[in-house]
Amino acid sequence: MRPRKLLRVLRLTAGSLLLALFFIVLSFGPLPSGTAGKVVRNNLDEGIDATPFFYTEADGVASAGDELKEALQRNR
Amino acid sequence: MNRGVVRSPLLHSEDWWAVWIGFAVLIAAAFGLVRQVPKLQKWTTSPLDAFQHGASFSPDQSMIVPVVLTGVVLVLLFALAIRFLGDRPLRFMAGFGIVFVLAVVSYLLSRQVQVRAYGLEYAVWALAFGLLISNTVGVPEWLKAGARSELYIKTGLVLLGAEILFTHILDIGGPGLFVAWFVTPIVILVMFNVGTRLLKIPSKALIITIAAATSVCGVSAAIATAAAAKAKKEELTLAVGLSLIFTVLMMIFMPWGIRAMGMDVHVGAAWIGGTIDSTGAVVASGAFLGPEAEKIAAVVKMIQNVLIGVVAFLVAVYWCAKVEREGDDKECKTRPSLKEIWIRFPKFIVGFVVASVVFSFVLMPLMGSEAVEIGILKHVSVPLRGWLFCMAFVSIGLESNFREMAAQMSGGKPFILYVVGQSFNVLLTLLAAWLAFGGILFDRLVL
């Protein structure tokens, strides 16, 4: 293998390992202590998915809309 | 064309193919021909758990086969488009295979429970994989052929249009509308002016993409606006990167700040809903303050989400009528004709708007809320759009390089724009939240 090609493959390997390490620390490592970890811990305890981009992807958002609508009607 | 043959743009433009594929999926779902698109489940220690049955798949059915089938159907649909667009379908199919596999892996990583709790969306992993490959070993031509980010984004956006249900949102009314719709346009205009006049960022497409991501709904708004303004892939990557980082930070620190200040929970929730970029992080932050706050925050965000269609449409019109003509002094001095605007107009936006209008004002009254929101959107359109956006982010990563991204940073100006814009957004939304949910303009809600 040519040195330049080898260097590229080595870079890819190193990058993949770093990415894998990042994922392992995030998924199996300890949660941050103090304030920083509180919301994440609450998400884990309550089974909340914090990843959806859009409201249609998040569970319970549409039903929250219905409840708010009812509350507004009651207020009137 | 050769021998006087005129190629119809309806069959030979990427925009129109995005519309046809998007519509074909939506029509198939509306007629019950497609009932379910697989979505990976959460997992804790074994990634294979992600392929366990979904809500409406049969309980003992693994999702591996449906996921592979989804890939097969998509590759056939897109290969047809590629054929008409004049490229080589077989070469596209080879590249598509790798892009789809990387998308599955990205989705899989984002479904791990602790990663989900941090709010690290599939876009993070998809971009990382793409960037890693393109900036180390490089991307061979056959793989580039499958990395059709714009085609995937545009098709995904047509599906997204169906999810923007105006009637549903307008019913909720009052305070939420005030917070979401009063602040958002002001923040976009202020950020656009700060970016162009004060910071003098050369790319208006980058400015508007960052502004939309900040003020509307993060990644999805960035995707829609970047497509409407024909932003470069590196510009979209930059806007998405900024939004993802700040979303996680705001998700963690905003509810803590609200508690520390002893702020009214309803006001705090509306503040969260109006400022944090992505819906998942809004729900997480709101839930930390309690169930009422979760509902209010989620609804404000939902109402704000709807603006994505209006913003994308207006940006597309403004770009066709003004920005794209700025290079030509002669053109700039004359008013553009409607025909000229139409020629330049990104046609997938038409599909996006038509899908939204048809679903809001025809299908919702005709089929009922449950059939549309559950049967078509939740089971088919939303998961398929997820796959398309995930493949788009893998492709964007594959098409981007760090040097170009560094050039886009131009002395940290995009970062400054985001921070200034988000700070303004935070202050203005706090005022609007207090006026709407603090019992000033509207009666206090009793949930």
Side-chain angles (χ1 to χ4, degrees):
Chain A
M1 199 181 275
R2 284 183 201 160
R4 205 171 155 184
K5 201 172 178 183
L6 183 69
L7 190 68
R8 285 177 177 179
V9 173
L10 280 175
R11 275 188 198 154
L12 176 68
T13 312
S16 305
L17 285 174
L18 271 177
L19 201 58
L21 188 69
F22 178 57
F23 174 74
I24 289 166
V25 169
L26 271 181
S27 50
F28 303 111
L31 295 174
S33 57
T35 308
K38 280 182 182 167
V39 174
V40 180
R41 203 164 290 119
N42 188 59
N43 290 348
L44 274 175
D45 294 344
E46 302 293 325
I48 294 168
D49 181 3
T51 58
F53 295 151
F54 208 66
Y55 82 92
T56 44
E57 297 163 34
D59 290 332
V61 174
S63 61
D66 292 337
E67 282 184 48
L68 201 70
K69 197 162 73 181
E70 280 169 24
L72 281 165
Q73 279 164 357
R74 275 201 307 271
N75 276 15
R76 279 175 206 143
Chain B
M1 297 310 295
N2 291 344
R3 290 177 302 225
V5 177
V6 178
R7 282 157 56 104
S8 164
L10 293 175
L11 283 179
H12 297 94
S13 92
E14 193 175 77
D15 280 26
W16 281 118
W17 268 102
V19 175
W20 305 141
I21 294 173
F23 281 3
V25 169
L26 293 172
I27 290 168
F31 282 98
L33 300 173
V34 182
R35 291 174 186 275
Q36 186 88 32
V37 170
K39 186 183 168 193
L40 299 187
Q41 305 301 304
K42 66 178 178 184
W43 59 278
T44 308
T45 51
S46 167
L48 285 177
D49 292 346
F51 294 96
Q52 296 296 315
H53 64 89
S56 48
F57 276 91
S58 90
D60 51 354
Q61 187 181 356
S62 161
M63 292 237 267
I64 293 175
V65 174
V67 167
V68 173
L69 273 177
T70 303
V72 171
V73 171
L74 284 177
V75 78
L76 292 176
L77 283 172
F78 285 122
L80 184 68
I82 295 295
R83 166 84 182 76
F84 276 92
L85 293 172
D87 290 335
R88 288 156 56 188
L90 280 179
R91 206 168 67 147
F92 163 78
M93 288 164 108
F96 179 95
I98 300 296
V99 171
F100 189 71
V101 168
L102 289 173
V104 173
V105 177
S106 306
Y107 230 130
L108 195 62
L109 298 186
S110 73
R111 305 312 294 156
Q112 202 279 339
V113 282
Q114 202 158 305
V115 173
R116 253 172 38 130
Y118 275 105
L120 288 175
E121 305 154 8
Y122 58 74
V124 175
W125 308 103
L127 278 173
F129 283 129
L131 285 168
L132 181 63
I133 293 169
S134 64
N135 289 278
T136 54
V137 287
V139 184
E141 288 302 318
W142 61 269
L143 182 51
K144 271 185 195 160
R148 301 290 296 234
S149 56
E150 287 184 19
L151 185 58
Y152 305 146
I153 284 179
K154 288 168 183 174
T155 311
L157 285 172
V158 174
L159 296 181
L160 184 70
E163 295 167 45
I164 297 171
L165 303 170
F166 280 97
T167 41
H168 195 58
I169 299 298
L170 293 173
D171 278 352
I172 297 167
L177 278 174
F178 179 78
V179 175
W181 289 13
F182 165 71
V183 177
T184 303
I186 297 176
V187 173
I188 290 181
L189 289 175
V190 167
M191 285 185 76
F192 191 68
N193 279 297
V194 169
T196 48
R197 293 179 188 186
L198 279 179
L199 295 172
K200 299 193 188 312
I201 295 173
S203 168
K204 286 184 176 170
L206 173 63
I207 297 169
I208 198 70
T209 306
I210 293 176
T214 312
S215 60
V216 188
C217 50
V219 174
S220 38
I223 293 173
T225 315
K230 295 163 193 161
K232 289 182 190 167
K233 293 175 182 77
E234 286 82 3
E235 292 171 340
L236 174 60
T237 307
L238 198 58
V240 166
L242 285 168
S243 173
L244 289 172
I245 292 166
F246 279 88
T247 295
V248 174
L249 292 176
M250 289 171 77
M251 176 187 82
I252 289 171
F253 292 107
M254 272 191 83
W256 169 78
I258 288 165
R259 273 196 178 167
M261 286 187 279
M263 189 185 288
D264 180 306
V265 170
H266 287 194
V267 174
W271 192 30
I272 284 172
T275 48
I276 296 182
D277 290 346
S278 82
T279 306
V282 164
V283 171
S285 280
F288 186 71
L289 295 176
E292 286 194 7
E294 182 183 354
K295 282 172 200 154
I296 291 174
V299 169
V300 170
K301 192 78 227 170
M302 177 166 76
I303 297 170
Q304 203 178 43
N305 276 181
V306 172
L307 280 181
I308 191 177
V310 180
V311 170
F313 179 79
L314 292 178
V315 166
V317 172
Y318 183 71
W319 246 249
C320 299
K322 190 150 192 328
V323 177
E324 286 179 4
R325 294 157 49 91
E326 280 174 352
D328 189 328
D329 286 347
K330 197 176 161 189
E331 272 194 5
C332 223
K333 282 173 190 160
T334 57
R335 273 176 81 95
S337 65
L338 278 178
K339 189 183 170 191
E340 191 190 336
I341 291 177
W342 172 248
I343 289 168
R344 289 172 187 264
F345 195 78
K347 307 301 183 297
F348 70 93
I349 297 279
V350 175
F352 179 78
V353 172
V354 168
S356 176
V357 170
V358 169
F359 271 71
S360 297
F361 302 107
V362 181
L363 289 187
M364 279 285 273
L366 215 63
M367 296 175 70
S369 166
E370 198 174 324
V372 170
E373 289 183 68
I374 308 290
I376 302 176
L377 299 182
K378 190 178 177 188
H379 288 168
V380 179
S381 172
V382 172
L384 190 65
R385 174 176 59 75
W387 288 113
L388 290 170
F389 281 177
C390 197
M391 287 194 302
F393 280 115
V394 171
S395 306
I396 288 168
L398 289 171
E399 292 165 315
S400 303
N401 68 69
F402 288 137
R403 267 185 214 152
E404 182 68 22
M405 281 168 67
Q408 293 296 338
M409 272 310 279
S410 56
K413 285 179 180 176
F415 177 79
I416 296 169
L417 176 68
Y418 186 92
V419 172
V420 169
Q422 190 62 276
S423 306
F424 178 66
N425 187 25
V426 162
L427 291 175
L428 195 62
T429 307
L430 178 59
L431 174 68
W434 173 68
L435 289 172
F437 286 86
I440 310 296
L441 292 180
F442 303 90
D443 291 336
R444 275 187 66 83
L445 284 172
V446 182
L447 283 168

